[in-house]
Amino acid sequence: MDLLRHHCLAQPDKTAIELIDEPPTANQIVTYGQLEARVLRTMALLRALDVTPGDRVALQLPKRLPFVYLHLAIMRLGAICLPLNTGYPARELAYFLEDAEARFFFAADGAQSAVAPILADLPALQTCIWIGEAEVAFEELIAPYQPSDATSVSLPADPHTTCLMIYTSGTTGRPKGAELTHGNLTANLASLHEAWGWRNDDVLLHVLPIFHVHGLIVALQGALHAGATTLMTTRFDPVQTLQLLIERSCTVLMAVPTIHRRLVDAPNAERYSLRHLRLVTSGSDRLPDDLFKQFEARFGVRLLERYGMSETGMNLSNPLHGERRVGSVGLPLPGVEVRIVDAETEQPLPDGVVGEVQVRGANVCKGYWRQPDKTAAAFTPDGWLRTGDLGVRAPDGYFTLKGRSKDLIISGGYNIYPPEVELALADHPAVEMSAVVGCPDAEWGERVVALVVRRAGLAAVNEDDLIAFCRQRLAVYKAPRRVIFVDALPRNALGKVQKVQLRTEYCGYESDG
Ligand code: MCA
């Protein structure tokens, strides 16, 4: 973060971010000097609102510049930024705001009628500010606030201070807030700077959402910390992406497999050469081998696959120089320890044997917000984070993921936790019980499929009803794409639903209901 301030002072006229706006609005350029000035004014606004160190400040804002100013200002004040998916409906949003005890909430003007009704039931929430879509509205909002206190413009001194909270779930219970500290982010950004050779003259094309570690920290903050230029689109479009990569001589692109698949499949994709890009990464989900090969064949670039999680930022990466191995997530990043252990004994396993991936390092979060039990369960006594992912290490140090020991579903790079969907379905009067699984999908990696046992006498409910019901309660990406009615769910002797069996039986969509 202090490095970012250094760039703002050292190269004030260089473009930090260019927002590629939808026509007819013109693109908006913010230089490093303007970025610093606006972040300082935003800090002054936050102080005037009485934001104090440790406060949770939630953002549910579109991917535009005010989000960036607020995010940076909140963290520099020593408060905690809580970025929220813009797709969360009011019901889900209420959970995050309540659990985090957010004191401040910045939300999109357009969401006011949907969101306002939940705010009265949030005793910790002190102030909600509605932000208009246009950048100019935010600039008018901060204009009267003069940065005053010169001593507080740099980062909070204590690296253990939490600055970012990202909600993640497990296979049981409700989502929990992973607390990332200034030290975590600084360490991970430094590792990535070294491993990926970030350069001051890089031009990053930013097409990811910015409410996740991937888009917000790895991509956006990665570029800002290098003093590079970011071209930021408000949403992903494959043809626009290919055109911008070429017309604007971009050097770096970071994305998820679904995005890479759409680039490969874009109309006339064979006409585009991306050989001038020095780094195209893939993460947040497993990169299929065929996609890795198709991308290289079509665009002349070998994708660099890496592995991370919200709790840690990035842990493993294929090398910038050296073998980018198909199917592998590469080698531990500088300063990050990764080991494979036996899931029962937690003893390290020899190379070539599949076990649980565990991670340790300055990048690993300090735990889950106000969940000491879950924090304790997530770490070994000597500080290794139990990722819940399965993997194997080759004798030359390359790691390969072999699946997940949890039932997590990954669709288009978003994590979906079956219990959240099952809980939503359970609210429907016609649902006796349900089990939610991820079925393989060529475009999304996995798609959400719900197996549902109808309550006796309520057989009239159909697939569309239940999908619509879930879409009202959950962000759209979590809602099932298929609902299959079954007479019963297979259970083991302990009564646990056998999801492996369900996947085997139903991912081909044969239904007995
Ligand atoms: C959108 N939809 C989805 C998804 N995204 N459904 C399932 N899974 C998704 N990921 C819904 C839309 O709401 C829409 O619903 C319908 O699917 C089709 O939308 P479409 O326009 O095709 O989608 P899109 O808006 O173009 O989005 C696709 C996307 C996006 C660009 C691939 O999902 C995306 O940006 N994914 C990246 C996620 C990411 O950054 N993850 C990082 C988290 P309807 O039916 O209403 O039309 S993981 C992380 O941070 C860790 C640290 C890590 O390691 O990276």
PDB file of all heavy atoms in Angstrom, residues 208-209 212-214 236 256 258-259 262 284 306 308-310 314 411-414 444 471 476-477 481, ligand 1:
ATOM      1  N   LEU A 208     -12.314  -8.957 -14.610  1.00  0.00           N
ATOM      2  CA  LEU A 208     -12.911  -9.751 -13.525  1.00  0.00           C
ATOM      3  C   LEU A 208     -13.762  -8.882 -12.600  1.00  0.00           C
ATOM      4  O   LEU A 208     -13.561  -7.669 -12.537  1.00  0.00           O
ATOM      5  CB  LEU A 208     -11.787 -10.379 -12.680  1.00  0.00           C
ATOM      6  CG  LEU A 208     -10.956 -11.461 -13.348  1.00  0.00           C
ATOM      7  CD1 LEU A 208      -9.678 -11.713 -12.555  1.00  0.00           C
ATOM      8  CD2 LEU A 208     -11.768 -12.751 -13.474  1.00  0.00           C
ATOM      9  N   PRO A 209     -14.649  -9.494 -11.840  1.00  0.00           N
ATOM     10  CA  PRO A 209     -15.330  -8.720 -10.803  1.00  0.00           C
ATOM     11  C   PRO A 209     -14.329  -8.277  -9.736  1.00  0.00           C
ATOM     12  O   PRO A 209     -13.294  -8.922  -9.552  1.00  0.00           O
ATOM     13  CB  PRO A 209     -16.346  -9.709 -10.218  1.00  0.00           C
ATOM     14  CG  PRO A 209     -15.912 -11.066 -10.655  1.00  0.00           C
ATOM     15  CD  PRO A 209     -15.073 -10.913 -11.874  1.00  0.00           C
ATOM     16  N   HIS A 212     -13.855  -9.869  -5.220  1.00  0.00           N
ATOM     17  CA  HIS A 212     -13.152 -11.086  -4.795  1.00  0.00           C
ATOM     18  C   HIS A 212     -11.659 -10.805  -4.748  1.00  0.00           C
ATOM     19  O   HIS A 212     -11.172  -9.892  -5.410  1.00  0.00           O
ATOM     20  CB  HIS A 212     -13.380 -12.215  -5.795  1.00  0.00           C
ATOM     21  CG  HIS A 212     -14.624 -12.990  -5.526  1.00  0.00           C
ATOM     22  ND1 HIS A 212     -14.835 -13.653  -4.349  1.00  0.00           N
ATOM     23  CD2 HIS A 212     -15.724 -13.223  -6.277  1.00  0.00           C
ATOM     24  CE1 HIS A 212     -16.013 -14.251  -4.389  1.00  0.00           C
ATOM     25  NE2 HIS A 212     -16.566 -13.994  -5.554  1.00  0.00           N
ATOM     26  N   VAL A 213     -10.935 -11.669  -4.051  1.00  0.00           N
ATOM     27  CA  VAL A 213      -9.481 -11.535  -3.965  1.00  0.00           C
ATOM     28  C   VAL A 213      -8.849 -11.543  -5.365  1.00  0.00           C
ATOM     29  O   VAL A 213      -7.931 -10.776  -5.644  1.00  0.00           O
ATOM     30  CB  VAL A 213      -8.907 -12.669  -3.081  1.00  0.00           C
ATOM     31  CG1 VAL A 213      -7.402 -12.778  -3.223  1.00  0.00           C
ATOM     32  CG2 VAL A 213      -9.289 -12.431  -1.626  1.00  0.00           C
ATOM     33  N   HIS A 214      -9.370 -12.377  -6.249  1.00  0.00           N
ATOM     34  CA  HIS A 214      -8.763 -12.502  -7.573  1.00  0.00           C
ATOM     35  C   HIS A 214      -8.749 -11.159  -8.303  1.00  0.00           C
ATOM     36  O   HIS A 214      -7.693 -10.639  -8.675  1.00  0.00           O
ATOM     37  CB  HIS A 214      -9.539 -13.560  -8.378  1.00  0.00           C
ATOM     38  CG  HIS A 214      -8.877 -13.960  -9.657  1.00  0.00           C
ATOM     39  ND1 HIS A 214      -9.349 -14.982 -10.438  1.00  0.00           N
ATOM     40  CD2 HIS A 214      -7.796 -13.490 -10.314  1.00  0.00           C
ATOM     41  CE1 HIS A 214      -8.583 -15.120 -11.502  1.00  0.00           C
ATOM     42  NE2 HIS A 214      -7.638 -14.216 -11.453  1.00  0.00           N
ATOM     43  N   PHE A 236     -17.396  -8.392 -18.501  1.00  0.00           N
ATOM     44  CA  PHE A 236     -16.595  -9.167 -19.458  1.00  0.00           C
ATOM     45  C   PHE A 236     -17.370  -9.385 -20.754  1.00  0.00           C
ATOM     46  O   PHE A 236     -18.520  -9.835 -20.734  1.00  0.00           O
ATOM     47  CB  PHE A 236     -16.205 -10.521 -18.857  1.00  0.00           C
ATOM     48  CG  PHE A 236     -15.658 -11.468 -19.888  1.00  0.00           C
ATOM     49  CD1 PHE A 236     -14.421 -11.207 -20.478  1.00  0.00           C
ATOM     50  CD2 PHE A 236     -16.379 -12.578 -20.297  1.00  0.00           C
ATOM     51  CE1 PHE A 236     -13.913 -12.059 -21.462  1.00  0.00           C
ATOM     52  CE2 PHE A 236     -15.877 -13.436 -21.263  1.00  0.00           C
ATOM     53  CZ  PHE A 236     -14.639 -13.166 -21.854  1.00  0.00           C
ATOM     54  N   VAL A 256     -10.462 -16.494 -15.471  1.00  0.00           N
ATOM     55  CA  VAL A 256     -10.866 -17.821 -15.003  1.00  0.00           C
ATOM     56  C   VAL A 256     -11.132 -18.693 -16.241  1.00  0.00           C
ATOM     57  O   VAL A 256     -11.325 -18.159 -17.341  1.00  0.00           O
ATOM     58  CB  VAL A 256     -12.130 -17.731 -14.108  1.00  0.00           C
ATOM     59  CG1 VAL A 256     -11.882 -16.840 -12.904  1.00  0.00           C
ATOM     60  CG2 VAL A 256     -13.339 -17.192 -14.896  1.00  0.00           C
ATOM     61  N   THR A 258     -13.682 -20.196 -17.480  1.00  0.00           N
ATOM     62  CA  THR A 258     -14.882 -19.891 -18.280  1.00  0.00           C
ATOM     63  C   THR A 258     -14.609 -18.720 -19.229  1.00  0.00           C
ATOM     64  O   THR A 258     -15.062 -18.706 -20.375  1.00  0.00           O
ATOM     65  CB  THR A 258     -16.075 -19.575 -17.353  1.00  0.00           C
ATOM     66  OG1 THR A 258     -16.295 -20.706 -16.515  1.00  0.00           O
ATOM     67  CG2 THR A 258     -17.347 -19.272 -18.136  1.00  0.00           C
ATOM     68  N   ILE A 259     -13.864 -17.748 -18.760  1.00  0.00           N
ATOM     69  CA  ILE A 259     -13.521 -16.591 -19.604  1.00  0.00           C
ATOM     70  C   ILE A 259     -12.581 -17.039 -20.725  1.00  0.00           C
ATOM     71  O   ILE A 259     -12.774 -16.671 -21.893  1.00  0.00           O
ATOM     72  CB  ILE A 259     -12.902 -15.468 -18.738  1.00  0.00           C
ATOM     73  CG1 ILE A 259     -14.009 -14.837 -17.888  1.00  0.00           C
ATOM     74  CG2 ILE A 259     -12.177 -14.433 -19.601  1.00  0.00           C
ATOM     75  CD1 ILE A 259     -13.552 -13.723 -16.961  1.00  0.00           C
ATOM     76  N   ARG A 262     -14.529 -18.750 -23.366  1.00  0.00           N
ATOM     77  CA  ARG A 262     -15.309 -17.834 -24.212  1.00  0.00           C
ATOM     78  C   ARG A 262     -14.406 -17.082 -25.193  1.00  0.00           C
ATOM     79  O   ARG A 262     -14.842 -16.732 -26.284  1.00  0.00           O
ATOM     80  CB  ARG A 262     -16.091 -16.848 -23.347  1.00  0.00           C
ATOM     81  CG  ARG A 262     -17.221 -17.519 -22.601  1.00  0.00           C
ATOM     82  CD  ARG A 262     -18.085 -16.517 -21.895  1.00  0.00           C
ATOM     83  NE  ARG A 262     -19.101 -17.181 -21.104  1.00  0.00           N
ATOM     84  CZ  ARG A 262     -20.005 -16.545 -20.378  1.00  0.00           C
ATOM     85  NH1 ARG A 262     -20.024 -15.224 -20.349  1.00  0.00           N
ATOM     86  NH2 ARG A 262     -20.901 -17.207 -19.681  1.00  0.00           N
ATOM     87  N   SER A 284      -8.876 -19.646 -10.032  1.00  0.00           N
ATOM     88  CA  SER A 284     -10.193 -19.724  -9.370  1.00  0.00           C
ATOM     89  C   SER A 284     -10.928 -21.016  -9.672  1.00  0.00           C
ATOM     90  O   SER A 284     -11.942 -21.303  -9.044  1.00  0.00           O
ATOM     91  CB  SER A 284     -11.117 -18.549  -9.732  1.00  0.00           C
ATOM     92  OG  SER A 284     -10.488 -17.320  -9.535  1.00  0.00           O
ATOM     93  N   ARG A 306      -2.448 -20.948 -11.860  1.00  0.00           N
ATOM     94  CA  ARG A 306      -2.013 -20.752 -10.467  1.00  0.00           C
ATOM     95  C   ARG A 306      -3.133 -21.162  -9.523  1.00  0.00           C
ATOM     96  O   ARG A 306      -4.268 -21.407  -9.946  1.00  0.00           O
ATOM     97  CB  ARG A 306      -1.541 -19.313 -10.245  1.00  0.00           C
ATOM     98  CG  ARG A 306      -2.496 -18.165 -10.573  1.00  0.00           C
ATOM     99  CD  ARG A 306      -3.794 -18.308 -10.002  1.00  0.00           C
ATOM    100  NE  ARG A 306      -4.748 -17.275 -10.033  1.00  0.00           N
ATOM    101  CZ  ARG A 306      -5.849 -17.322  -9.270  1.00  0.00           C
ATOM    102  NH1 ARG A 306      -6.086 -18.339  -8.465  1.00  0.00           N
ATOM    103  NH2 ARG A 306      -6.744 -16.388  -9.330  1.00  0.00           N
ATOM    104  N   GLY A 308      -5.021 -20.392  -5.693  1.00  0.00           N
ATOM    105  CA  GLY A 308      -5.146 -19.573  -4.491  1.00  0.00           C
ATOM    106  C   GLY A 308      -6.486 -19.797  -3.842  1.00  0.00           C
ATOM    107  O   GLY A 308      -7.275 -20.633  -4.280  1.00  0.00           O
ATOM    108  N   MET A 309      -6.745 -19.047  -2.804  1.00  0.00           N
ATOM    109  CA  MET A 309      -8.056 -19.060  -2.167  1.00  0.00           C
ATOM    110  C   MET A 309      -8.266 -17.742  -1.434  1.00  0.00           C
ATOM    111  O   MET A 309      -7.306 -17.004  -1.187  1.00  0.00           O
ATOM    112  CB  MET A 309      -8.232 -20.278  -1.247  1.00  0.00           C
ATOM    113  CG  MET A 309      -7.127 -20.507  -0.266  1.00  0.00           C
ATOM    114  SD  MET A 309      -7.154 -22.170   0.470  1.00  0.00           S
ATOM    115  CE  MET A 309      -8.750 -22.210   1.269  1.00  0.00           C
ATOM    116  N   SER A 310      -9.525 -17.469  -1.089  1.00  0.00           N
ATOM    117  CA  SER A 310      -9.809 -16.176  -0.448  1.00  0.00           C
ATOM    118  C   SER A 310      -9.021 -16.026   0.842  1.00  0.00           C
ATOM    119  O   SER A 310      -8.599 -14.930   1.203  1.00  0.00           O
ATOM    120  CB  SER A 310     -11.306 -16.061  -0.140  1.00  0.00           C
ATOM    121  OG  SER A 310     -12.039 -16.125  -1.326  1.00  0.00           O
ATOM    122  N   MET A 314      -2.732 -15.887  -3.302  1.00  0.00           N
ATOM    123  CA  MET A 314      -2.135 -16.929  -4.159  1.00  0.00           C
ATOM    124  C   MET A 314      -1.091 -17.752  -3.401  1.00  0.00           C
ATOM    125  O   MET A 314      -0.326 -17.211  -2.605  1.00  0.00           O
ATOM    126  CB  MET A 314      -1.468 -16.292  -5.381  1.00  0.00           C
ATOM    127  CG  MET A 314      -2.422 -15.487  -6.234  1.00  0.00           C
ATOM    128  SD  MET A 314      -3.803 -16.466  -6.885  1.00  0.00           S
ATOM    129  CE  MET A 314      -5.112 -16.098  -5.746  1.00  0.00           C
ATOM    130  N   SER A 411     -18.366 -22.789 -10.176  1.00  0.00           N
ATOM    131  CA  SER A 411     -19.027 -22.502 -11.447  1.00  0.00           C
ATOM    132  C   SER A 411     -18.519 -21.156 -11.958  1.00  0.00           C
ATOM    133  O   SER A 411     -18.681 -20.137 -11.287  1.00  0.00           O
ATOM    134  CB  SER A 411     -20.542 -22.437 -11.218  1.00  0.00           C
ATOM    135  OG  SER A 411     -21.180 -21.923 -12.355  1.00  0.00           O
ATOM    136  N   GLY A 412     -17.879 -21.171 -13.105  1.00  0.00           N
ATOM    137  CA  GLY A 412     -17.375 -19.919 -13.680  1.00  0.00           C
ATOM    138  C   GLY A 412     -16.434 -19.176 -12.745  1.00  0.00           C
ATOM    139  O   GLY A 412     -16.321 -17.961 -12.813  1.00  0.00           O
ATOM    140  N   GLY A 413     -15.760 -19.902 -11.856  1.00  0.00           N
ATOM    141  CA  GLY A 413     -14.812 -19.275 -10.927  1.00  0.00           C
ATOM    142  C   GLY A 413     -15.449 -18.815  -9.627  1.00  0.00           C
ATOM    143  O   GLY A 413     -14.761 -18.319  -8.745  1.00  0.00           O
ATOM    144  N   TYR A 414     -16.769 -18.960  -9.494  1.00  0.00           N
ATOM    145  CA  TYR A 414     -17.428 -18.623  -8.220  1.00  0.00           C
ATOM    146  C   TYR A 414     -17.595 -19.894  -7.399  1.00  0.00           C
ATOM    147  O   TYR A 414     -18.021 -20.931  -7.924  1.00  0.00           O
ATOM    148  CB  TYR A 414     -18.821 -18.042  -8.455  1.00  0.00           C
ATOM    149  CG  TYR A 414     -18.840 -16.619  -8.951  1.00  0.00           C
ATOM    150  CD1 TYR A 414     -19.711 -16.242  -9.964  1.00  0.00           C
ATOM    151  CD2 TYR A 414     -18.032 -15.638  -8.397  1.00  0.00           C
ATOM    152  CE1 TYR A 414     -19.761 -14.939 -10.428  1.00  0.00           C
ATOM    153  CE2 TYR A 414     -18.073 -14.338  -8.852  1.00  0.00           C
ATOM    154  CZ  TYR A 414     -18.933 -13.981  -9.870  1.00  0.00           C
ATOM    155  OH  TYR A 414     -18.981 -12.704 -10.319  1.00  0.00           O
ATOM    156  N   TRP A 444     -19.007 -23.828 -17.834  1.00  0.00           N
ATOM    157  CA  TRP A 444     -18.889 -23.270 -16.481  1.00  0.00           C
ATOM    158  C   TRP A 444     -17.975 -24.071 -15.567  1.00  0.00           C
ATOM    159  O   TRP A 444     -17.763 -23.678 -14.431  1.00  0.00           O
ATOM    160  CB  TRP A 444     -20.281 -23.186 -15.844  1.00  0.00           C
ATOM    161  CG  TRP A 444     -21.220 -22.284 -16.566  1.00  0.00           C
ATOM    162  CD1 TRP A 444     -22.178 -22.640 -17.453  1.00  0.00           C
ATOM    163  CD2 TRP A 444     -21.270 -20.842 -16.491  1.00  0.00           C
ATOM    164  NE1 TRP A 444     -22.834 -21.519 -17.926  1.00  0.00           N
ATOM    165  CE2 TRP A 444     -22.298 -20.404 -17.350  1.00  0.00           C
ATOM    166  CE3 TRP A 444     -20.556 -19.889 -15.766  1.00  0.00           C
ATOM    167  CZ2 TRP A 444     -22.619 -19.061 -17.526  1.00  0.00           C
ATOM    168  CZ3 TRP A 444     -20.875 -18.547 -15.935  1.00  0.00           C
ATOM    169  CH2 TRP A 444     -21.891 -18.141 -16.804  1.00  0.00           C
ATOM    170  N   ARG A 471     -33.721 -18.323  -7.119  1.00  0.00           N
ATOM    171  CA  ARG A 471     -33.163 -17.087  -7.691  1.00  0.00           C
ATOM    172  C   ARG A 471     -33.618 -15.849  -6.928  1.00  0.00           C
ATOM    173  O   ARG A 471     -32.950 -14.817  -6.972  1.00  0.00           O
ATOM    174  CB  ARG A 471     -33.522 -16.975  -9.176  1.00  0.00           C
ATOM    175  CG  ARG A 471     -32.742 -17.972 -10.039  1.00  0.00           C
ATOM    176  CD  ARG A 471     -33.272 -18.030 -11.447  1.00  0.00           C
ATOM    177  NE  ARG A 471     -32.929 -16.850 -12.200  1.00  0.00           N
ATOM    178  CZ  ARG A 471     -32.020 -16.808 -13.178  1.00  0.00           C
ATOM    179  NH1 ARG A 471     -31.371 -17.891 -13.521  1.00  0.00           N
ATOM    180  NH2 ARG A 471     -31.752 -15.691 -13.813  1.00  0.00           N
ATOM    181  N   VAL A 476     -27.876 -15.212  -8.398  1.00  0.00           N
ATOM    182  CA  VAL A 476     -28.331 -16.058  -9.507  1.00  0.00           C
ATOM    183  C   VAL A 476     -27.356 -17.207  -9.786  1.00  0.00           C
ATOM    184  O   VAL A 476     -27.768 -18.328 -10.093  1.00  0.00           O
ATOM    185  CB  VAL A 476     -28.544 -15.185 -10.765  1.00  0.00           C
ATOM    186  CG1 VAL A 476     -28.738 -16.038 -11.999  1.00  0.00           C
ATOM    187  CG2 VAL A 476     -29.753 -14.291 -10.549  1.00  0.00           C
ATOM    188  N   TYR A 477     -26.054 -16.943  -9.638  1.00  0.00           N
ATOM    189  CA  TYR A 477     -25.092 -17.992  -9.993  1.00  0.00           C
ATOM    190  C   TYR A 477     -25.186 -19.210  -9.072  1.00  0.00           C
ATOM    191  O   TYR A 477     -24.722 -20.292  -9.423  1.00  0.00           O
ATOM    192  CB  TYR A 477     -23.658 -17.433 -10.031  1.00  0.00           C
ATOM    193  CG  TYR A 477     -23.064 -17.077  -8.690  1.00  0.00           C
ATOM    194  CD1 TYR A 477     -22.346 -18.006  -7.962  1.00  0.00           C
ATOM    195  CD2 TYR A 477     -23.211 -15.797  -8.154  1.00  0.00           C
ATOM    196  CE1 TYR A 477     -21.802 -17.686  -6.728  1.00  0.00           C
ATOM    197  CE2 TYR A 477     -22.668 -15.453  -6.930  1.00  0.00           C
ATOM    198  CZ  TYR A 477     -21.975 -16.398  -6.221  1.00  0.00           C
ATOM    199  OH  TYR A 477     -21.451 -16.069  -5.002  1.00  0.00           O
ATOM    200  N   ARG A 481     -29.364 -24.996 -11.921  1.00  0.00           N
ATOM    201  CA  ARG A 481     -29.707 -24.913 -13.350  1.00  0.00           C
ATOM    202  C   ARG A 481     -30.639 -26.055 -13.710  1.00  0.00           C
ATOM    203  O   ARG A 481     -31.318 -26.003 -14.720  1.00  0.00           O
ATOM    204  CB  ARG A 481     -28.440 -24.985 -14.186  1.00  0.00           C
ATOM    205  CG  ARG A 481     -27.568 -23.773 -13.901  1.00  0.00           C
ATOM    206  CD  ARG A 481     -26.702 -23.370 -15.037  1.00  0.00           C
ATOM    207  NE  ARG A 481     -26.146 -22.062 -14.698  1.00  0.00           N
ATOM    208  CZ  ARG A 481     -25.972 -21.094 -15.565  1.00  0.00           C
ATOM    209  NH1 ARG A 481     -26.294 -21.264 -16.816  1.00  0.00           N
ATOM    210  NH2 ARG A 481     -25.457 -19.943 -15.174  1.00  0.00           N
TER     211      ARG A 481
HETATM  212  C1  MCA B   1     -22.879 -15.436 -14.174  1.00  0.00           C
HETATM  213  N1  MCA B   1     -23.845 -16.343 -14.066  1.00  0.00           N
HETATM  214  C2  MCA B   1     -23.347 -17.452 -13.552  1.00  0.00           C
HETATM  215  C3  MCA B   1     -22.002 -17.169 -13.304  1.00  0.00           C
HETATM  216  N2  MCA B   1     -21.736 -15.919 -13.701  1.00  0.00           N
HETATM  217  N3  MCA B   1     -23.903 -18.648 -13.270  1.00  0.00           N
HETATM  218  C4  MCA B   1     -23.116 -19.579 -12.741  1.00  0.00           C
HETATM  219  N4  MCA B   1     -21.807 -19.370 -12.456  1.00  0.00           N
HETATM  220  C5  MCA B   1     -21.232 -18.175 -12.727  1.00  0.00           C
HETATM  221  N5  MCA B   1     -19.947 -17.965 -12.449  1.00  0.00           N
HETATM  222  C6  MCA B   1     -25.244 -16.246 -14.459  1.00  0.00           C
HETATM  223  C7  MCA B   1     -25.663 -14.866 -14.816  1.00  0.00           C
HETATM  224  O1  MCA B   1     -26.171 -14.217 -13.668  1.00  0.00           O
HETATM  225  C8  MCA B   1     -26.709 -15.112 -15.871  1.00  0.00           C
HETATM  226  O2  MCA B   1     -27.923 -15.401 -15.263  1.00  0.00           O
HETATM  227  C9  MCA B   1     -26.242 -16.342 -16.557  1.00  0.00           C
HETATM  228  O3  MCA B   1     -25.381 -17.006 -15.625  1.00  0.00           O
HETATM  229  C10 MCA B   1     -25.450 -16.097 -17.803  1.00  0.00           C
HETATM  230  O4  MCA B   1     -24.677 -14.966 -17.617  1.00  0.00           O
HETATM  231  P1  MCA B   1     -23.531 -14.487 -18.561  1.00  0.00           P
HETATM  232  O5  MCA B   1     -23.846 -13.110 -19.048  1.00  0.00           O
HETATM  233  O6  MCA B   1     -23.193 -15.520 -19.548  1.00  0.00           O
HETATM  234  O7  MCA B   1     -22.379 -14.435 -17.478  1.00  0.00           O
HETATM  235  P2  MCA B   1     -21.381 -13.289 -17.262  1.00  0.00           P
HETATM  236  O8  MCA B   1     -22.014 -12.166 -16.572  1.00  0.00           O
HETATM  237  O9  MCA B   1     -20.698 -13.050 -18.580  1.00  0.00           O
HETATM  238  O10 MCA B   1     -20.381 -13.935 -16.218  1.00  0.00           O
HETATM  239  C11 MCA B   1     -19.576 -15.026 -16.540  1.00  0.00           C
HETATM  240  C12 MCA B   1     -18.182 -14.773 -15.962  1.00  0.00           C
HETATM  241  C13 MCA B   1     -18.338 -14.462 -14.475  1.00  0.00           C
HETATM  242  C14 MCA B   1     -17.532 -13.587 -16.680  1.00  0.00           C
HETATM  243  C15 MCA B   1     -17.373 -16.017 -16.195  1.00  0.00           C
HETATM  244  O11 MCA B   1     -18.973 -15.541 -13.844  1.00  0.00           O
HETATM  245  C16 MCA B   1     -17.040 -14.115 -13.814  1.00  0.00           C
HETATM  246  O12 MCA B   1     -16.562 -12.989 -13.915  1.00  0.00           O
HETATM  247  N6  MCA B   1     -16.421 -15.082 -13.096  1.00  0.00           N
HETATM  248  C17 MCA B   1     -15.177 -14.844 -12.394  1.00  0.00           C
HETATM  249  C18 MCA B   1     -15.361 -15.149 -10.959  1.00  0.00           C
HETATM  250  C19 MCA B   1     -14.164 -14.740 -10.098  1.00  0.00           C
HETATM  251  O13 MCA B   1     -13.525 -13.738 -10.311  1.00  0.00           O
HETATM  252  N7  MCA B   1     -13.888 -15.548  -9.077  1.00  0.00           N
HETATM  253  C20 MCA B   1     -12.866 -15.317  -8.149  1.00  0.00           C
HETATM  254  C21 MCA B   1     -13.263 -15.938  -6.835  1.00  0.00           C
HETATM  255  P3  MCA B   1     -29.329 -15.171 -15.980  1.00  0.00           P
HETATM  256  O14 MCA B   1     -29.861 -16.555 -16.110  1.00  0.00           O
HETATM  257  O15 MCA B   1     -30.085 -14.330 -15.022  1.00  0.00           O
HETATM  258  O16 MCA B   1     -29.094 -14.511 -17.288  1.00  0.00           O
HETATM  259  S1  MCA B   1     -12.078 -17.086  -6.269  1.00  0.00           S
HETATM  260  C22 MCA B   1     -10.805 -16.161  -5.659  1.00  0.00           C
HETATM  261  O17 MCA B   1     -10.853 -14.969  -5.584  1.00  0.00           O
HETATM  262  C23 MCA B   1      -9.591 -16.968  -5.280  1.00  0.00           C
HETATM  263  C24 MCA B   1      -8.661 -16.122  -4.463  1.00  0.00           C
HETATM  264  C25 MCA B   1      -8.821 -17.415  -6.523  1.00  0.00           C
HETATM  265  O18 MCA B   1      -8.044 -18.366  -6.428  1.00  0.00           O
HETATM  266  O19 MCA B   1      -8.985 -16.783  -7.579  1.00  0.00           O
END
